[in-house]
Amino acid sequence: MSEVGSDKLSARLHQAVDDHPVDVPDLLTPARSRRRRRRILGGTAAVAVVVTGALAVSQLLSSAPRTALVAATPSPTVVASSAPAVTPSPSILTNDTIALRCGPQMVKYDALPQFARMTNPWHVAHVAHSYRVGDIVAMLPANQHTYPAYCRIPAVGHESDEVPFAALEPAALTALERVAMCSESMSISDRSVVLTGQAEPSVDFTTPDLRDAGIFAAASAGKMMVLLLSQGTSSYACFLYPQPWDFGGVSMGAAGDTRGLEVGLRGSAAGAAGKSVVPGPATYYSAVGRLPANARTIEFTISKKVVDTVTADANGWWVAAFMVDGRNSMSEPSTYAIKDAAGTVLKSGKFWG
Amino acid sequence: MDVDAEFEHYVADSFARLCRTGFLLCGDWQRAEDAAQETLFKMHRSWGRIARHEGLDAYARQTLVRTLIDEWRRPWRRRENVAEVLPEASATPIDATSQIDDRDQLVRAVAQLAPRQRACVVLRFYLDTSVSDTATALGCSEGNVKRLTSDGLAALRAALETTEGSLT
C-alpha cells in the first residue's frame, strides 16, 4: 500500500472508532480485589483451567450462577457439608470410595491441555449428593475448585475399565445421563468478576441435585446438545459438549422467567497446536430464551442466510443449536428476528457482528 | 504520585484507546471493554515493576492483543431482554444489517480478516505501531508481520473495493 493509502486507512480507522464514547470505569478497586484473591489462591488457577469452563465468559450474568443462561438469582437449596455423604444404604457409596474407584478414569484428563497442572487426588464435587455404581459424578482435582471432570462410577473390580471421552459425549448418553451430567456440572460463583467476564477461580458446588429434572426442550448441532430442564417450578438451561474440546464440557444454570434471549457462541478458527483440542474450524451457536406472549418463532441468520428457525412452546420457551462448519463465523453479521404466528416480524436485531 | 494514583492515571489515559483498539480487533464493544479491563487488571498485578517502564504502552498493546487472541478461543454469550408482549411491527421484515454506514463497512471488512492479519492491520494503521513492536505484541517475527499486513491489506481492499473503490 502506498503512503497515501496507508494514511487514508489510518484516518478511516480513526474515524470509525474515535468518536465512540467510552466511560472509564473505576478499575482500581476490583484490581486490588483480584490481586488479593490471587495471593490467597496462589498461582495454581492456571489459565488452562479457565479455558476449560464452558462459560468462561458470562459478563452479563452478574449475580447468576456461573453458567446461568437467563438471568437468575442463585438459589442453592442444598447445604454444603465438609463431610462425605454417608447413608445407611449399602448401595450408596461414600465420597471416599467414589474418589478411589474413579481415580483411574481421571488419568485421561491429564492429556487435555485445559486440564494441565491438576493434581491428584480428585474428589467428589457435590459432596452432599448421593451416588451409586453407574452414576455419573463430577470430580475436582486437589489443586483447584472450578471446572469438574466426570467419572462413571465403576463397580468393584472394574476400576480400570476404560471409559473413553467418547462414552461421555452427549449423543452417547441416555436422556437420564444427560440430565445427570447437567446436574453434576452446576455450580455457583457468587464472587464472579462481572467486570471482566472472567470466571472466578473458585466456585461453590452446593447446588441442588437436579438429576431427576425433566427435559422439556432440546436441540443439537454436531456434537453439541442444548437442553431445557425443569424441576418443580424452576427451569434450567444446559449445554453439553464433548469433554476434550477446549471450550467444551458441560455448563448448566438456572433459567429465570425473564422474557428474552441469550445466544452463546463458541468459535474456533482452527485447533491451535499444543493448546487447542477443538477438532477443526467451526462455530457453534447455542441459544435459549423465552419469547414474549404474542411471539411464536425466532429465526437466526448468519451473513443474511437463515440458519435456524425455532418455535416456542406454549410458555414461550425455545432452544436452538446450530453450527457453521469449516470456518470461524463469529465475525460475520448475525441477526435474529422474532415473529408472531402470522410470520410478522415483531422485533429483530443483531446478536453478533 | 503513589502506585494507586499512577495506576488510576494510566487507566484514565489509556482505557478509551484500548477499548477502541479492542473493538477494531474483535468487532464488539462489550468484548473490547472486557478485554481492555482485563488488560489493565493484568498490568495491575505487576504495576510496581512496570509502572515507570518506558514500554508501558507496548506492554498494554501486547496484553490486549493476547487477551483477545485468547478470547477468540473462548465461548461468548450475548443476552437481550425483550418485553412481555411486543408491539406489532411493520409487516415488512426488518433487516438488521441494512442500516450500515461507511464506518460499519470498514469495521466489518476489518472483522473479516483472519485474526492475526486483523491484529497487524489495526496495530500498524490504527495505533501506528512499528513492524518491530507489532511483532513483539503478536509474538512473531517481523517477516511474519510484513506478510500478515500485506495479506490483510489485500483482503481489506478486496472487501471494500466492491462498495467504494480502492483504499488507495
Side-chain angles (χ1 to χ4, degrees), chain A residues 195-213:
Chain A
L195 201 60
T196 64
Q198 292 290 344
E200 269 287 84
S202 176
V203 290
D204 182 349
F205 282 87
T206 57
T207 56
D209 189 341
L210 300 171
R211 286 177 289 176
D212 62 351

Side-chain angles (χ1 to χ4, degrees), chain A residues 236-260:
Chain A
Y236 302 86
C238 179
F239 305 85
L240 293 159
Y241 292 82
Q243 294 290 306
W245 291 8
D246 63 352
F247 53 80
V250 192
S251 65
M252 166 84 161
D257 274 340
T258 309
R259 304 274 179 172

Side-chain angles (χ1 to χ4, degrees), chain B residues 52-129:
Chain B
R52 290 180 178 79
H53 198 282
E54 62 182 16
L56 196 58
D57 287 339
Y59 185 83
R61 272 198 307 270
Q62 176 175 322
T63 307
L64 178 77
V65 169
R66 293 185 180 180
T67 296
L68 279 166
I69 286 174
D70 281 348
E71 191 65 38
W72 291 328
R73 293 175 53 233
R74 286 187 187 154
W76 180 251
R77 310 204 140 263
R78 176 161 297 177
R79 171 171 172 71
E80 180 171 349
N81 290 334
V82 294
E84 282 292 312
V85 175
L86 286 171
E88 289 295 330
S90 160
T92 306
I94 301 165
D95 179 359
T97 63
S98 65
Q99 299 169 350
I100 301 170
D101 64 18
D102 288 347
R103 294 191 297 186
D104 286 335
Q105 284 179 344
L106 178 63
V107 169
R108 198 175 300 286
V110 170
Q112 286 172 359
L113 301 178
R116 293 174 79 81
Q117 288 178 357
R118 195 184 321 146
C120 285
V121 167
V122 171
L123 265 58
R124 296 279 290 116
F125 296 101
Y126 179 66
L127 292 181
D128 200 23
T129 308

Side-chain angles (χ1 to χ4, degrees), chain A residues 140-352:
Chain A
L140 295 169
N143 63 336
Q144 62 91 20
H145 303 277
T146 50
Y147 304 108
Y150 300 89
C151 166
R152 180 179 276 139
I153 303 172
V156 174
H158 293 270
E159 292 88 343
S160 297
D161 288 0
E162 188 184 4
V163 180
F165 285 119
L168 298 174
E169 287 184 2
L173 301 174
T174 66
L176 285 175
E177 287 175 331
R178 287 175 199 140
V179 174
M181 189 82 108
C182 293
S183 175
E184 284 298 294
S185 73
M186 195 170 177
S187 61
I188 295 169
S189 173
D190 57 5
R191 297 172 295 279
S192 59
V193 181
V194 177
L195 201 60
T196 64
Q198 292 290 344
E200 269 287 84
S202 176
V203 290
D204 182 349
F205 282 87
T206 57
T207 56
D209 189 341
L210 300 171
R211 286 177 289 176
D212 62 351
I215 300 172
F216 69 92
S220 64
K223 292 187 173 184
M224 170 183 72
M225 192 172 286
V226 189
L227 308 175
L228 277 171
L229 310 174
S230 67
Q231 186 191 59
T233 57
S234 300
S235 301
Y236 302 86
C238 179
F239 305 85
L240 293 159
Y241 292 82
Q243 294 290 306
W245 291 8
D246 63 352
F247 53 80
V250 192
S251 65
M252 166 84 161
D257 274 340
T258 309
R259 304 274 179 172
L261 70 149
E262 181 150 328
V263 178
L265 299 94
R266 293 165 168 85
S268 176
K275 293 181 180 177
S276 172
V277 282
V278 171
T283 311
Y284 296 83
Y285 299 81
S286 58
V288 301
R290 200 170 175 213
L291 288 183
N294 59 330
R296 185 75 180 128
T297 62
I298 182 164
E299 178 183 273
F300 293 95
T301 71
I302 297 173
S303 295
K304 297 190 176 181
K305 182 179 175 186
V306 175
V307 289
D308 203 5
T309 302
V310 291
T311 302
D313 69 14
N315 294 313
W317 288 106
W318 57 269
V319 58
F322 47 94
M323 65 182 287
V324 172
D325 201 8
R327 70 180 193 275
N328 183 343
S329 62
M330 288 177 71
S331 60
E332 297 175 23
S334 312
T335 67
Y336 67 87
I338 295 173
K339 299 180 180 180
D340 65 14
T344 303
V345 176
L346 302 173
K347 179 178 174 60
S348 68
K350 300 177 189 177
F351 66 86
W352 194 257

